[in-house]
Amino acid sequence: MYLTALILGAYPENIRKDTLDKLEKLESYFYQPEIQFDITIDFRRFFLEALKIAFEYAVYKIGEGYLEDPRAKDIQNYLKSAIDGKFKKECAEFSGVELLPKEFRGILKNAKKVNAHLLMINSDAENKLVAEVLLFMEPALSFMVVLSDDASKYYNPKSHMDEIIEIKTYAKSV
């Protein structure tokens, strides 16, 4: 009520002006509430989505030549089966898709406030080409997908195959 009375002129002009000046100088802080709830995740379906994201990103970054890779062909056939409705009740297992290792998840604790997704393609210790996809910078939604058994065909350590995709949020104006 104090603010309403202040704005509507129930206080002398000098008090109103001083207070409004103070309000204008205050830093604004936007509070974005966190919502917590329990969910059940069918990891085979989740991994199907993970596979799709990683595959599409690989084609985007590497190019159409990647489609000739034996692993890429297996991924295409698996995704096509899903599109054809073969996995409506239950997804089949597909090797090479897993949650990020725990060591990597520890790094994400520092990125909790970053409102973005991160996609990376690189070579692992066994020279396999892998995609790491971090959705919302959240460990529970981050995964790794083997894209090829031979990274040397596609991966050059000097080239960057990573993207930070900012998640834009828009506040409705009142």
mmCIF file of all heavy atoms in Angstrom, residues 1-33:
data_model
loop_
_atom_site.group_PDB
_atom_site.id
_atom_site.type_symbol
_atom_site.label_atom_id
_atom_site.label_comp_id
_atom_site.label_asym_id
_atom_site.label_seq_id
_atom_site.Cartn_x
_atom_site.Cartn_y
_atom_site.Cartn_z
ATOM 1 N N MET A 1 0.819 -1.185 0.000
ATOM 2 C CA MET A 1 0.000 0.000 0.000
ATOM 3 C C MET A 1 0.865 1.251 0.000
ATOM 4 O O MET A 1 0.489 2.248 -0.593
ATOM 5 C CB MET A 1 -0.933 -0.008 1.198
ATOM 6 C CG MET A 1 -2.034 -1.044 1.034
ATOM 7 S SD MET A 1 -3.212 -1.151 2.380
ATOM 8 C CE MET A 1 -3.785 0.474 2.563
ATOM 9 N N TYR A 2 2.014 1.167 0.681
ATOM 10 C CA TYR A 2 2.910 2.310 0.728
ATOM 11 C C TYR A 2 3.314 2.702 -0.689
ATOM 12 O O TYR A 2 3.256 3.871 -1.055
ATOM 13 C CB TYR A 2 4.135 1.974 1.567
ATOM 14 C CG TYR A 2 5.242 2.994 1.471
ATOM 15 C CD1 TYR A 2 5.147 4.214 2.134
ATOM 16 C CD2 TYR A 2 6.375 2.751 0.706
ATOM 17 C CE1 TYR A 2 6.144 5.155 2.033
ATOM 18 C CE2 TYR A 2 7.381 3.678 0.600
ATOM 19 C CZ TYR A 2 7.267 4.886 1.275
ATOM 20 O OH TYR A 2 8.259 5.822 1.181
ATOM 21 N N LEU A 3 3.699 1.719 -1.500
ATOM 22 C CA LEU A 3 4.129 1.992 -2.867
ATOM 23 C C LEU A 3 2.985 2.566 -3.690
ATOM 24 O O LEU A 3 3.164 3.523 -4.438
ATOM 25 C CB LEU A 3 4.676 0.719 -3.512
ATOM 26 C CG LEU A 3 5.261 0.869 -4.903
ATOM 27 C CD1 LEU A 3 6.422 1.858 -4.894
ATOM 28 C CD2 LEU A 3 5.717 -0.464 -5.434
ATOM 29 N N THR A 4 1.786 2.025 -3.534
ATOM 30 C CA THR A 4 0.632 2.523 -4.281
ATOM 31 C C THR A 4 0.331 3.967 -3.884
ATOM 32 O O THR A 4 0.115 4.818 -4.747
ATOM 33 C CB THR A 4 -0.609 1.645 -4.005
ATOM 34 O OG1 THR A 4 -0.268 0.302 -4.324
ATOM 35 C CG2 THR A 4 -1.798 2.080 -4.823
ATOM 36 N N ALA A 5 0.340 4.235 -2.585
ATOM 37 C CA ALA A 5 0.088 5.604 -2.113
ATOM 38 C C ALA A 5 1.172 6.550 -2.615
ATOM 39 O O ALA A 5 0.905 7.684 -3.013
ATOM 40 C CB ALA A 5 0.040 5.629 -0.591
ATOM 41 N N LEU A 6 2.401 6.051 -2.658
ATOM 42 C CA LEU A 6 3.520 6.856 -3.129
ATOM 43 C C LEU A 6 3.345 7.226 -4.595
ATOM 44 O O LEU A 6 3.483 8.374 -4.989
ATOM 45 C CB LEU A 6 4.813 6.065 -2.922
ATOM 46 C CG LEU A 6 6.111 6.743 -3.286
ATOM 47 C CD1 LEU A 6 6.396 7.865 -2.296
ATOM 48 C CD2 LEU A 6 7.237 5.731 -3.251
ATOM 49 N N ILE A 7 2.988 6.262 -5.390
ATOM 50 C CA ILE A 7 2.831 6.484 -6.823
ATOM 51 C C ILE A 7 1.617 7.351 -7.121
ATOM 52 O O ILE A 7 1.656 8.218 -7.988
ATOM 53 C CB ILE A 7 2.745 5.130 -7.576
ATOM 54 C CG1 ILE A 7 4.095 4.417 -7.474
ATOM 55 C CG2 ILE A 7 2.345 5.305 -9.031
ATOM 56 C CD1 ILE A 7 4.101 2.998 -7.943
ATOM 57 N N LEU A 8 0.532 7.126 -6.408
ATOM 58 C CA LEU A 8 -0.696 7.865 -6.676
ATOM 59 C C LEU A 8 -0.707 9.273 -6.074
ATOM 60 O O LEU A 8 -1.647 10.023 -6.271
ATOM 61 C CB LEU A 8 -1.903 7.072 -6.172
ATOM 62 C CG LEU A 8 -2.162 5.759 -6.899
ATOM 63 C CD1 LEU A 8 -3.343 5.038 -6.271
ATOM 64 C CD2 LEU A 8 -2.420 5.990 -8.385
ATOM 65 N N GLY A 9 0.324 9.611 -5.316
ATOM 66 C CA GLY A 9 0.443 10.998 -4.873
ATOM 67 C C GLY A 9 -0.105 11.293 -3.506
ATOM 68 O O GLY A 9 -0.425 12.439 -3.207
ATOM 69 N N ALA A 10 -0.235 10.307 -2.637
ATOM 70 C CA ALA A 10 -0.733 10.557 -1.299
ATOM 71 C C ALA A 10 0.341 11.153 -0.396
ATOM 72 O O ALA A 10 0.048 11.553 0.715
ATOM 73 C CB ALA A 10 -1.249 9.255 -0.683
ATOM 74 N N TYR A 11 1.591 11.204 -0.862
ATOM 75 C CA TYR A 11 2.682 11.773 -0.084
ATOM 76 C C TYR A 11 3.153 13.055 -0.755
ATOM 77 O O TYR A 11 2.967 13.246 -1.953
ATOM 78 C CB TYR A 11 3.852 10.781 0.012
ATOM 79 C CG TYR A 11 3.502 9.570 0.839
ATOM 80 C CD1 TYR A 11 3.094 8.384 0.240
ATOM 81 C CD2 TYR A 11 3.568 9.622 2.227
ATOM 82 C CE1 TYR A 11 2.764 7.284 0.994
ATOM 83 C CE2 TYR A 11 3.241 8.521 2.995
ATOM 84 C CZ TYR A 11 2.844 7.352 2.378
ATOM 85 O OH TYR A 11 2.518 6.276 3.134
ATOM 86 N N PRO A 12 3.783 13.940 0.031
ATOM 87 C CA PRO A 12 4.301 15.183 -0.565
ATOM 88 C C PRO A 12 5.264 14.877 -1.714
ATOM 89 O O PRO A 12 5.927 13.850 -1.737
ATOM 90 C CB PRO A 12 5.035 15.862 0.599
ATOM 91 C CG PRO A 12 4.444 15.260 1.826
ATOM 92 C CD PRO A 12 4.015 13.867 1.457
ATOM 93 N N GLU A 13 5.333 15.818 -2.658
ATOM 94 C CA GLU A 13 6.119 15.639 -3.887
ATOM 95 C C GLU A 13 7.565 15.268 -3.618
ATOM 96 O O GLU A 13 8.105 14.382 -4.252
ATOM 97 C CB GLU A 13 6.045 16.929 -4.724
ATOM 98 C CG GLU A 13 6.773 16.854 -6.050
ATOM 99 C CD GLU A 13 6.153 15.863 -7.022
ATOM 100 O OE1 GLU A 13 4.931 15.662 -6.983
ATOM 101 O OE2 GLU A 13 6.906 15.269 -7.808
ATOM 102 N N ASN A 14 8.230 15.937 -2.654
ATOM 103 C CA ASN A 14 9.648 15.663 -2.415
ATOM 104 C C ASN A 14 9.878 14.245 -1.887
ATOM 105 O O ASN A 14 10.841 13.590 -2.258
ATOM 106 C CB ASN A 14 10.262 16.715 -1.481
ATOM 107 C CG ASN A 14 9.627 16.708 -0.100
ATOM 108 O OD1 ASN A 14 8.498 16.275 0.082
ATOM 109 N ND2 ASN A 14 10.363 17.236 0.865
ATOM 110 N N ILE A 15 8.987 13.728 -1.035
ATOM 111 C CA ILE A 15 9.121 12.356 -0.534
ATOM 112 C C ILE A 15 8.888 11.376 -1.676
ATOM 113 O O ILE A 15 9.622 10.397 -1.837
ATOM 114 C CB ILE A 15 8.139 12.095 0.628
ATOM 115 C CG1 ILE A 15 8.519 12.962 1.829
ATOM 116 C CG2 ILE A 15 8.122 10.618 1.002
ATOM 117 C CD1 ILE A 15 7.548 12.878 2.981
ATOM 118 N N ARG A 16 7.886 11.646 -2.477
ATOM 119 C CA ARG A 16 7.583 10.771 -3.620
ATOM 120 C C ARG A 16 8.767 10.693 -4.568
ATOM 121 O O ARG A 16 9.184 9.621 -4.980
ATOM 122 C CB ARG A 16 6.347 11.310 -4.352
ATOM 123 C CG ARG A 16 5.316 10.254 -4.562
ATOM 124 C CD ARG A 16 4.051 10.682 -5.230
ATOM 125 N NE ARG A 16 4.207 11.568 -6.355
ATOM 126 C CZ ARG A 16 3.526 12.681 -6.528
ATOM 127 N NH1 ARG A 16 2.637 13.054 -5.647
ATOM 128 N NH2 ARG A 16 3.707 13.431 -7.576
ATOM 129 N N LYS A 17 9.341 11.839 -4.920
ATOM 130 C CA LYS A 17 10.445 11.886 -5.868
ATOM 131 C C LYS A 17 11.662 11.149 -5.324
ATOM 132 O O LYS A 17 12.289 10.356 -6.019
ATOM 133 C CB LYS A 17 10.802 13.319 -6.214
ATOM 134 C CG LYS A 17 11.900 13.427 -7.265
ATOM 135 C CD LYS A 17 12.104 14.845 -7.683
ATOM 136 C CE LYS A 17 13.194 15.043 -8.703
ATOM 137 N NZ LYS A 17 14.050 13.990 -9.036
ATOM 138 N N ASP A 18 12.006 11.384 -4.057
ATOM 139 C CA ASP A 18 13.175 10.718 -3.456
ATOM 140 C C ASP A 18 13.002 9.203 -3.444
ATOM 141 O O ASP A 18 13.924 8.451 -3.771
ATOM 142 C CB ASP A 18 13.400 11.214 -2.025
ATOM 143 C CG ASP A 18 13.898 12.649 -1.984
ATOM 144 O OD1 ASP A 18 14.336 13.160 -3.043
ATOM 145 O OD2 ASP A 18 13.857 13.250 -0.889
ATOM 146 N N THR A 19 11.837 8.757 -3.068
ATOM 147 C CA THR A 19 11.587 7.319 -2.994
ATOM 148 C C THR A 19 11.579 6.681 -4.378
ATOM 149 O O THR A 19 12.159 5.628 -4.592
ATOM 150 C CB THR A 19 10.261 7.032 -2.260
ATOM 151 O OG1 THR A 19 10.307 7.686 -0.985
ATOM 152 C CG2 THR A 19 10.066 5.555 -2.050
ATOM 153 N N LEU A 20 10.944 7.332 -5.334
ATOM 154 C CA LEU A 20 10.933 6.801 -6.698
ATOM 155 C C LEU A 20 12.332 6.776 -7.293
ATOM 156 O O LEU A 20 12.690 5.845 -8.017
ATOM 157 C CB LEU A 20 9.972 7.609 -7.584
ATOM 158 C CG LEU A 20 8.489 7.426 -7.256
ATOM 159 C CD1 LEU A 20 7.636 8.392 -8.080
ATOM 160 C CD2 LEU A 20 8.046 5.995 -7.493
ATOM 161 N N ASP A 21 13.153 7.781 -6.966
ATOM 162 C CA ASP A 21 14.541 7.776 -7.420
ATOM 163 C C ASP A 21 15.299 6.578 -6.849
ATOM 164 O O ASP A 21 16.078 5.929 -7.536
ATOM 165 C CB ASP A 21 15.259 9.074 -7.030
ATOM 166 C CG ASP A 21 14.819 10.262 -7.881
ATOM 167 O OD1 ASP A 21 14.215 10.029 -8.954
ATOM 168 O OD2 ASP A 21 15.095 11.409 -7.472
ATOM 169 N N LYS A 22 15.060 6.282 -5.576
ATOM 170 C CA LYS A 22 15.712 5.127 -4.943
ATOM 171 C C LYS A 22 15.266 3.827 -5.617
ATOM 172 O O LYS A 22 16.058 2.923 -5.834
ATOM 173 C CB LYS A 22 15.385 5.077 -3.449
ATOM 174 C CG LYS A 22 16.092 6.117 -2.639
ATOM 175 C CD LYS A 22 15.674 6.020 -1.176
ATOM 176 C CE LYS A 22 16.245 7.173 -0.386
ATOM 177 N NZ LYS A 22 15.740 7.191 0.994
ATOM 178 N N LEU A 23 13.980 3.717 -5.929
ATOM 179 C CA LEU A 23 13.466 2.509 -6.588
ATOM 180 C C LEU A 23 14.118 2.304 -7.952
ATOM 181 O O LEU A 23 14.447 1.190 -8.333
ATOM 182 C CB LEU A 23 11.945 2.590 -6.757
ATOM 183 C CG LEU A 23 11.115 2.332 -5.520
ATOM 184 C CD1 LEU A 23 9.646 2.619 -5.809
ATOM 185 C CD2 LEU A 23 11.281 0.913 -5.042
ATOM 186 N N GLU A 24 14.320 3.398 -8.691
ATOM 187 C CA GLU A 24 14.930 3.297 -10.020
ATOM 188 C C GLU A 24 16.373 2.839 -9.939
ATOM 189 O O GLU A 24 16.880 2.193 -10.848
ATOM 190 C CB GLU A 24 14.844 4.634 -10.744
ATOM 191 C CG GLU A 24 13.455 4.947 -11.251
ATOM 192 C CD GLU A 24 13.398 6.292 -11.966
ATOM 193 O OE1 GLU A 24 14.450 6.877 -12.250
ATOM 194 O OE2 GLU A 24 12.270 6.738 -12.225
ATOM 195 N N LYS A 25 17.060 3.165 -8.853
ATOM 196 C CA LYS A 25 18.481 2.825 -8.711
ATOM 197 C C LYS A 25 18.691 1.405 -8.184
ATOM 198 O O LYS A 25 19.795 0.897 -8.246
ATOM 199 C CB LYS A 25 19.161 3.830 -7.791
ATOM 200 C CG LYS A 25 19.267 5.206 -8.419
ATOM 201 C CD LYS A 25 19.878 6.207 -7.479
ATOM 202 C CE LYS A 25 19.848 7.596 -8.118
ATOM 203 N NZ LYS A 25 20.246 8.645 -7.207
ATOM 204 N N LEU A 26 17.649 0.791 -7.672
ATOM 205 C CA LEU A 26 17.788 -0.575 -7.164
ATOM 206 C C LEU A 26 18.057 -1.531 -8.315
ATOM 207 O O LEU A 26 17.487 -1.395 -9.399
ATOM 208 C CB LEU A 26 16.511 -1.023 -6.446
ATOM 209 C CG LEU A 26 16.273 -0.485 -5.051
ATOM 210 C CD1 LEU A 26 14.920 -0.976 -4.546
ATOM 211 C CD2 LEU A 26 17.369 -0.928 -4.107
ATOM 212 N N GLU A 27 18.928 -2.496 -8.073
ATOM 213 C CA GLU A 27 19.159 -3.526 -9.082
ATOM 214 C C GLU A 27 17.975 -4.469 -9.065
ATOM 215 O O GLU A 27 17.435 -4.811 -8.021
ATOM 216 C CB GLU A 27 20.437 -4.298 -8.778
ATOM 217 C CG GLU A 27 21.691 -3.477 -9.002
ATOM 218 C CD GLU A 27 22.936 -4.331 -8.841
ATOM 219 O OE1 GLU A 27 22.916 -5.507 -9.245
ATOM 220 O OE2 GLU A 27 23.913 -3.808 -8.303
ATOM 221 N N SER A 28 17.579 -4.891 -10.232
ATOM 222 C CA SER A 28 16.466 -5.829 -10.338
ATOM 223 C C SER A 28 16.998 -7.252 -10.331
ATOM 224 O O SER A 28 17.983 -7.561 -10.999
ATOM 225 C CB SER A 28 15.696 -5.600 -11.639
ATOM 226 O OG SER A 28 15.110 -4.339 -11.619
ATOM 227 N N TYR A 29 16.364 -8.093 -9.600
ATOM 228 C CA TYR A 29 16.703 -9.507 -9.570
ATOM 229 C C TYR A 29 15.464 -10.277 -9.985
ATOM 230 O O TYR A 29 14.377 -10.056 -9.447
ATOM 231 C CB TYR A 29 17.138 -9.955 -8.172
ATOM 232 C CG TYR A 29 18.440 -9.321 -7.744
ATOM 233 C CD1 TYR A 29 18.456 -8.200 -6.934
ATOM 234 C CD2 TYR A 29 19.647 -9.849 -8.174
ATOM 235 C CE1 TYR A 29 19.644 -7.615 -6.540
ATOM 236 C CE2 TYR A 29 20.845 -9.274 -7.784
ATOM 237 C CZ TYR A 29 20.838 -8.160 -6.970
ATOM 238 O OH TYR A 29 22.011 -7.589 -6.593
ATOM 239 N N PHE A 30 15.630 -11.127 -10.961
ATOM 240 C CA PHE A 30 14.519 -11.946 -11.405
ATOM 241 C C PHE A 30 14.646 -13.300 -10.740
ATOM 242 O O PHE A 30 15.700 -13.916 -10.769
ATOM 243 C CB PHE A 30 14.530 -12.107 -12.933
ATOM 244 C CG PHE A 30 14.249 -10.837 -13.635
ATOM 245 C CD1 PHE A 30 15.275 -10.023 -14.093
ATOM 246 C CD2 PHE A 30 12.946 -10.414 -13.828
ATOM 247 C CE1 PHE A 30 15.017 -8.839 -14.735
ATOM 248 C CE2 PHE A 30 12.672 -9.227 -14.469
ATOM 249 C CZ PHE A 30 13.706 -8.437 -14.925
ATOM 250 N N TYR A 31 13.605 -13.754 -10.174
ATOM 251 C CA TYR A 31 13.595 -15.049 -9.515
ATOM 252 C C TYR A 31 12.908 -16.042 -10.429
ATOM 253 O O TYR A 31 11.786 -15.823 -10.862
ATOM 254 C CB TYR A 31 12.859 -14.961 -8.178
ATOM 255 C CG TYR A 31 12.716 -16.300 -7.515
ATOM 256 C CD1 TYR A 31 13.815 -16.921 -6.941
ATOM 257 C CD2 TYR A 31 11.496 -16.953 -7.489
ATOM 258 C CE1 TYR A 31 13.697 -18.149 -6.338
ATOM 259 C CE2 TYR A 31 11.363 -18.187 -6.894
ATOM 260 C CZ TYR A 31 12.467 -18.786 -6.318
ATOM 261 O OH TYR A 31 12.355 -20.012 -5.735
ATOM 262 N N GLN A 32 13.626 -17.086 -10.745
ATOM 263 C CA GLN A 32 13.040 -18.149 -11.546
ATOM 264 C C GLN A 32 12.894 -19.348 -10.624
ATOM 265 O O GLN A 32 13.886 -19.941 -10.202
ATOM 266 C CB GLN A 32 13.927 -18.491 -12.738
ATOM 267 C CG GLN A 32 13.280 -19.473 -13.664
ATOM 268 C CD GLN A 32 14.062 -19.584 -14.968
ATOM 269 O OE1 GLN A 32 15.041 -18.910 -15.178
ATOM 270 N NE2 GLN A 32 13.606 -20.451 -15.819
ATOM 271 N N PRO A 33 11.682 -19.691 -10.268
ATOM 272 C CA PRO A 33 11.492 -20.765 -9.296
ATOM 273 C C PRO A 33 11.962 -22.112 -9.840
ATOM 274 O O PRO A 33 11.937 -22.355 -11.044
ATOM 275 C CB PRO A 33 9.973 -20.776 -9.065
ATOM 276 C CG PRO A 33 9.412 -20.164 -10.293
ATOM 277 C CD PRO A 33 10.436 -19.180 -10.783
#
